[in-house]
Amino acid sequence: MGIAITATALSADDETARNAYNTAFSQLEIDWHWDAATYRELLAGGGQPVRAFVERHRPHLLRAYGVDCLVNAVEATRRGLSAARPR
């Protein structure tokens, strides 16, 4: 019996990055959680996943916040988590 691979399966690196984004959202008290399918969709578009998510799924935030500020805060938090992760 083999292991079923779904269309939403992510590489180990992408899964690590997705988990880091979800942890960053939690630390920043942003009520978002990306499942594998959502993250795959965001990666398929190229560019910055946070920016793509806001533009596609939370466009109302663009009227209230500078998207660059939000992207920078999430990315800085995510990078900090990655740097703190033991190798």
Side-chain angles (χ1 to χ4, degrees):
M1 183 175 255
I3 297 173
I5 304 294
T6 65
T8 58
L10 295 172
S11 71
D13 287 344
D14 286 343
E15 188 64 30
T16 298
R18 183 184 71 84
N19 287 328
Y21 276 112
N22 286 331
T23 301
F25 299 148
S26 178
Q27 286 190 359
L28 293 168
E29 299 181 9
I30 298 172
D31 189 23
W32 298 348
H33 179 84
W34 292 349
D35 60 17
T38 300
Y39 192 59
R40 180 175 291 288
E41 171 200 332
L42 298 172
L43 292 178
Q48 298 174 322
V50 176
R51 182 180 302 278
F53 182 79
V54 171
E55 289 171 352
R56 293 178 196 162
H57 301 281
R58 302 292 190 273
H60 63 280
L61 294 177
L62 297 172
R63 292 188 302 272
Y65 301 101
V67 72
D68 291 332
C69 181
L70 182 57
V71 168
N72 293 340
V74 171
E75 290 295 344
T77 302
R78 182 184 66 86
R79 283 191 303 272
L81 293 167
S82 296
R85 190 179 79 201
R87 300 235 174 232

